[in-house]
Amino acid sequence: MQQLYDTRAPNPPSRAILVGVNLRGALMHDTEESLQELRQLTETANIEVVCETIQPRNVPNPTYFIGEGKVEELKALGAELQADAIIFDEELSPAQTRNIENTIDIATIDRTGLILQVFAQRALTKEARLQVALAQLEYALPRLTRMWTHLSRLATSTGGGSGGYLRGPGETQLEMDRRWIRRHISQVKKALDTVEKRRHVQRQNRSEKIKVSLVGYTNAGKSTLFNALTGESVLAEDKLFATLDSTTRRVSLPQNQLILLSDTVGFIKKLPHQLVAAFKATLEEVTEADLLIHVVDVSHPEAEAQIAAVNEVLEELDATDIPTVMVFNKIDSLEAEDELQVLRSRYLDALPVSAQHGDGIEKLMEALANRFVERGALLSLSIPYAEGKALDLLYKYGTVLETEYAAEFVHVKARMPSRYFKSVEQFLGTAESNSEDSFSAHASAAAE
Ligand SMILES: Nc1nc2c(ncn2[C@@H]2O[C@H](COP(=O)(O)OP(=O)(O)OP(=O)(O)O)[C@@H](O)[C@H]2O)c(=O)[nH]1
Ligand SMILES: [Mg+2]
């Protein structure tokens, strides 16, 4: 069973040539930036980059994506530099991958395959490993190239010895491999189902609470900000996809509201759709949030393109309607304040912070608190001492503004979101203390 989600290739490559393609209409600068990110991904996968090359082309060559001459050039270069992988900054079709591999005789990996490798290496929990395994298998199904030969080896090891997985009559090796992958996909899905049911129960327990989720490009500083807001110490490091699992903690905001804050997996340009699909359960922290905090690394030269990439993934997740607070992180790394001007003019409400140094964190907390205050109606309540639970609920879901301990009652002024009214309604106080906007607010909030 262990192998079911142990998808790390037994002999990963160690020396790679990176290939970018500058297609007609694309800016060379963008191709270079993208290749730079591919380099970071490659290094994250513990593969050394021995050479980088960019080929300008009008359109992709259907057989090889790049030109035939370039393939020959790569073959010579690969031999000279002792490369054991060619990594393309594009999504190659299964046929293109096969054609290049057959000609060059070096493992050929595309951007999607590399991202999957990084995820496979970084997945720590059973759930993350199963999710990555599912994405890898879906990706492998139409390909079955060299990269996946370990899967066939795995087939014999999980298939119960030589008799466990025999080729059917007239079945080619390829068909057999495909059959094996399909069977494996359904096994992984089943195992994932079990893990996710447990997560679902956990989540149901939280359904009454205000959920806030950090989203953003990988390496933007989400985990660092999570730690700054919660006092936790989840892993934050200068690597792509340091976080694959989500972590949720309670955070108490300045006006006493409690929220549940989640840190989760980062996004990247051209995030493989197999991964988005496989990580659906983990990403529910995002899709079911009441509010998103979009963390941007404003010291990154590609900050704006990264915002767009994050928005694209949010669209794919159908999460664009969730209210979002934009946070400009790493302001300590800016060389000049005016570097921010363009972004600032585009995102007027964005909050500048340095998650690492703590600048702007208090303001962010206040901004979050104000958002949730707005959502509640103002109430005056008189709660008998025996009904302490109602007071707990106010502290938990609402904002307690004033308390006065009298002989028989605690008189409380608080704001409470409409969905929790029912739980405290019976303690609504006198007409005098409700003379502010409470009843009308109550009525309009209840009608939401
Ligand atoms: N200078 C500076 N560096 C920061 C700041 N916030 C985070 N970092 C650094 O940025 C790197 C990435 O931070 P993480 O918090 O791991 O980023 P993440 O968004 O969680 O990244 P993934 O989990 O990989 O998607 C780390 O090296 C942090 O120390 C900041 O405010 N200023
Ligand atoms: Mg992280």
Side-chain angles (χ1 to χ4, degrees):
M1 208 55 179
Q2 179 64 29
Q3 290 93 332
L4 201 56
Y5 49 83
D6 192 2
T7 51
R8 286 159 296 182
N11 300 309
S14 57
R15 295 167 62 80
I17 297 176
L18 307 188
V19 183
V21 181
N22 181 242
L23 292 173
R24 188 178 48 199
L27 293 175
M28 186 49 108
H29 168 82
D30 291 348
T31 310
E32 282 167 0
E33 284 290 344
S34 184
L35 200 64
Q36 166 64 22
E37 185 174 82
L38 190 77
R39 168 186 271 274
Q40 246 184 310
L41 277 168
T42 309
E43 286 166 353
T44 305
N46 295 322
I47 304 170
E48 186 189 343
V49 176
V50 293
C51 174
E52 286 175 20
T53 169
I54 290 181
Q55 183 179 46
R57 280 196 72 83
N58 280 338
V59 287
N61 172 320
T63 317
Y64 301 109
F65 203 102
I66 48 173
E68 214 172 324
K70 188 77 180 173
V71 177
E72 289 303 326
E73 195 187 300
L74 283 175
K75 185 174 181 171
L77 204 59
E80 187 192 321
L81 300 172
Q82 294 176 330
D84 52 6
I86 310 277
I87 305 181
F88 282 78
D89 194 18
E90 301 287 338
E91 188 158 0
L92 301 177
S93 74
Q96 284 164 340
T97 309
R98 258 195 309 275
N99 294 337
I100 298 170
E101 257 185 7
N102 289 341
T103 312
I104 304 187
D105 204 27
I106 298 178
T108 302
I109 301 169
D110 65 2
R111 187 180 169 95
T112 302
L114 180 65
I115 294 175
L116 289 170
Q117 287 254 26
V118 171
F119 267 66
Q121 282 172 0
R122 295 207 150 263
L124 295 178
T125 62
K126 183 172 175 180
E127 183 178 26
R129 283 192 185 184
L130 284 167
Q131 288 172 324
V132 176
L134 181 60
Q136 284 192 317
L137 289 163
E138 301 271 10
Y139 174 77
L141 191 58
R143 287 179 172 79
L144 290 174
T145 58
R146 179 189 305 260
M147 193 185 163
W148 305 103
T149 48
H150 67 285
L151 290 174
S152 344
R153 233 175 294 150
L154 226 133
T156 36
S157 65
T158 52
S162 55
Y165 205 72
L166 289 178
R167 195 182 294 190
E171 195 177 37
T172 64
Q173 178 66 41
L174 193 70
E175 284 162 347
M176 189 178 94
D177 286 352
R178 293 231 164 99
R179 183 156 65 89
W180 178 84
I181 289 195
R182 280 201 196 94
R183 198 188 61 165
H184 220 61
I185 284 178
S186 68
Q187 282 176 344
V188 171
K189 276 188 175 159
K190 223 187 263 164
L192 204 48
D193 243 21
T194 316
V195 181
E196 280 164 4
K197 274 206 187 100
R198 217 171 304 144
R199 170 192 278 282
H200 204 71
V201 171
Q202 270 178 5
R203 194 172 283 123
Q204 260 173 353
N205 294 338
R206 303 183 192 146
S207 59
E208 295 288 272
K209 304 184 181 133
I210 297 172
K211 288 162 292 204
V212 179
S213 211
L214 293 162
V215 293
Y217 209 76
T218 180
N219 218 39
K222 298 175 295 298
S223 300
T224 310
L225 184 60
F226 180 82
N227 290 340
L229 291 170
T230 59
E232 283 287 325
S233 48
V234 300
L235 176 74
E237 55 179 348
D238 196 10
K239 282 201 168 165
L240 304 182
F241 301 112
T243 311
L244 290 194
D245 299 290
S246 51
T247 309
T248 302
R249 290 288 179 272
R250 296 193 328 170
V251 178
S252 170
L253 296 177
Q255 301 182 46
N256 290 331
Q257 312 100 317
L258 271 184
I259 58 162
L260 290 177
L261 183 71
S262 295
D263 178 29
T264 187
V265 58
F267 302 157
I268 196 166
K269 273 175 228 165
K270 303 183 205 159
L271 185 66
H273 61 89
Q274 296 95 335
L275 275 174
V276 177
F279 273 70
K280 225 175 173 65
T282 302
L283 289 169
E284 274 173 17
E285 304 297 354
V286 173
T287 53
E288 291 182 5
D290 298 301
L291 179 78
L292 301 178
I293 301 178
H294 183 160
V295 185
V296 184
D297 171 1
V298 284
S299 71
H300 198 287
E302 290 292 284
E304 234 182 323
Q306 295 188 341
I307 294 175
V310 169
N311 288 337
E312 256 174 52
V313 181
L314 289 175
E315 243 165 62
E316 193 172 342
L317 290 171
D318 221 2
T320 42
D321 287 344
I322 304 175
T324 303
V325 172
M326 194 73 137
V327 168
F328 286 169
N329 189 30
K330 306 198 191 180
I331 48 164
D332 57 288
S333 282
L334 288 174
E335 268 154 34
E337 180 62 22
D338 59 1
E339 279 183 55
L340 256 185
Q341 253 172 14
V342 178
L343 269 182
R344 274 227 148 143
S345 62
R346 226 157 273 177
Y347 301 95
L348 293 172
D349 294 332
L351 293 162
V353 306
S354 165
Q356 201 168 46
H357 300 285
D359 306 329
I361 300 298
E362 255 173 52
K363 280 223 169 93
L364 171 60
M365 290 275 232
E366 271 165 31
L368 293 176
N370 288 338
R371 275 204 166 235
F372 294 117
V373 170
E374 281 163 22
R375 287 158 37 122
L378 185 67
L379 306 174
S380 288
L381 304 136
S382 298
I383 303 171
Y385 284 97
E387 303 281 350
K389 201 164 166 244
L391 196 58
D392 287 348
L393 288 173
L394 281 172
Y395 273 107
K396 209 167 189 176
Y397 304 127
T399 311
V400 176
L401 302 169
E402 269 178 52
T403 46
E404 188 194 320
Y405 290 83
E408 289 171 46
F409 298 96
V410 188
H411 298 291
V412 186
K413 273 198 178 161
R415 286 192 181 270
M416 190 73 153
S418 58
R419 55 194 157 136
Y420 304 117
F421 272 139
K422 278 261 167 293
S423 55
V424 294
E425 203 173 30
Q426 56 178 309
F427 306 115
L428 277 177
T430 61
E432 176 262 319
S433 57
N434 274 319
S435 59
E436 292 176 69
D437 61 339
S438 55
F439 276 133
S440 55
H442 184 171
S444 65
E448 266 175 18

